[in-house]
Amino acid sequence: MAKTYSIAIDGPAGAGKSTIARRIAAELGYKYVDTGAIYRTVAYFLDLWGVSPKDVDGVERYIDELTVGIEYDDEGKQHMIMNGMDVTDDIRTPDISKKASDVSAHGCVREMLLDMQRDVAKQYNVVMDGRDIGTVVLPKADVKIFLTASAEVRAKRRTLELEAKGQKADYNQILKAIQERDYNDSHRAIAPLKMARDSIKVDTSDMNIDEVILTIRQIVGKKIPV
């Protein structure tokens, strides 16, 4: 089997991981693996059954009824498959996103999804983003990036993003939510958000997207033949 290459991009919520990872994958011809979507799929499944993401017993009881898969269409877009059904669009709601953070703290959930994520990286060249990719999921990734920005900058970006979609956005509420998410992600007992020892930190607070892409491409170019 030919060697596959993997790029792990970790970082806090709102750092732009998905946008950056998707662009990098497209430019390199790699598969983009959105691990957040994987956990949203689990959260969506539990939500359908009326199980709270904080209900330890409920999560452990229902998780065995779930199968999660990833498929890619002809354009390379990732589709999330839940028990044979494509739920790619259904999982993209603020409520499911919030519940996904709670779901991801369960050891039984992370254990169930770990091999699946690693198998994708064995099959394809991948750019995978999340919060524990470089530390837990792909500890031997060829390139590890820790993408971050100040909470204030991330809140401002999110506010502008929502306003551009015609949605109401309260900067202070968004900032508070991001700060709470940061604390929860970095203090959870299982696979907390932290920078891998061999990861390269990229702070995007004062950078535009093209500058971030250029920076990461330069980092990748030094470690992977492209």
Side-chain angles (χ1 to χ4, degrees):
M1 180 181 293
K3 173 177 172 54
T4 57
Y5 293 96
S6 56
I7 300 171
I9 300 182
D10 288 312
K17 298 185 299 296
S18 297
T19 301
I20 299 300
R22 190 177 288 108
R23 278 267 309 259
I24 292 293
E27 291 187 13
L28 295 176
Y30 283 20
K31 297 294 187 185
Y32 165 55
V33 183
D34 176 2
T35 61
I38 300 174
Y39 287 101
R40 287 189 187 94
T41 301
V42 179
Y44 181 67
F45 170 79
L46 294 171
D47 196 58
L48 289 177
W49 284 97
V51 178
S52 167
K54 295 183 179 181
D55 178 358
V56 177
D57 291 337
V59 172
E60 291 181 347
R61 184 167 63 253
Y62 278 88
I63 199 68
D64 289 339
E65 305 298 322
L66 171 66
T67 58
V68 179
I70 293 178
E71 294 180 0
Y72 291 94
D73 61 24
D74 293 339
E75 296 179 352
K77 179 183 176 182
Q78 173 179 311
H79 287 257
M80 295 308 308
I81 311 301
M82 180 195 79
N83 289 357
M85 297 182 296
D86 190 328
V87 295
T88 305
D89 296 329
D90 301 298
I91 63 176
R92 295 294 175 180
T93 69
D95 181 56
I96 293 301
S97 179
K98 184 178 185 302
K99 289 177 177 177
S101 179
D102 293 328
V103 163
S104 67
H106 293 280
C108 62
V109 174
R110 302 197 79 88
E111 183 178 346
M112 181 191 80
L113 299 176
L114 188 59
D115 286 341
M116 184 196 77
Q117 294 172 88
R118 288 175 174 170
D119 286 343
V120 175
K122 290 177 182 177
Q123 295 177 54
Y124 308 103
N125 294 324
V126 300
V127 180
M128 190 177 296
D129 75 313
R131 289 171 180 74
D132 66 342
I133 308 304
T135 54
V136 178
V137 180
L138 300 177
K140 295 183 180 180
D142 298 281
V143 179
K144 297 180 184 179
I145 303 292
F146 192 83
L147 194 70
T148 189
S150 70
E152 291 75 15
V153 167
R154 286 182 279 140
K156 183 177 180 180
R157 289 173 180 169
R158 180 59 175 163
T159 301
L160 293 174
E161 178 185 347
L162 291 173
E163 290 176 344
K165 295 178 179 178
Q167 300 178 28
K168 291 183 179 180
D170 185 311
Y171 168 80
N172 290 321
Q173 288 184 356
I174 292 173
L175 175 60
K176 181 180 179 182
I178 284 177
Q179 290 171 332
E180 290 177 352
R181 181 76 177 268
D182 286 351
Y183 181 87
N184 291 336
D185 285 345
S186 60
H187 286 79
R188 66 190 182 201
I190 299 171
L193 168 67
K194 63 180 180 179
M195 181 173 166
R197 185 175 300 177
D198 54 346
S199 186
I200 299 173
K201 185 176 182 179
V202 177
D203 190 324
T204 71
S205 297
D206 299 315
M207 302 168 71
N208 61 40
I209 188 169
D210 290 331
E211 291 171 334
V212 177
I213 294 294
L214 177 60
T215 298
I216 294 180
R217 283 297 301 268
Q218 290 174 338
I219 293 171
V220 171
K222 294 177 181 178
K223 295 177 175 289
I224 293 178
V226 294

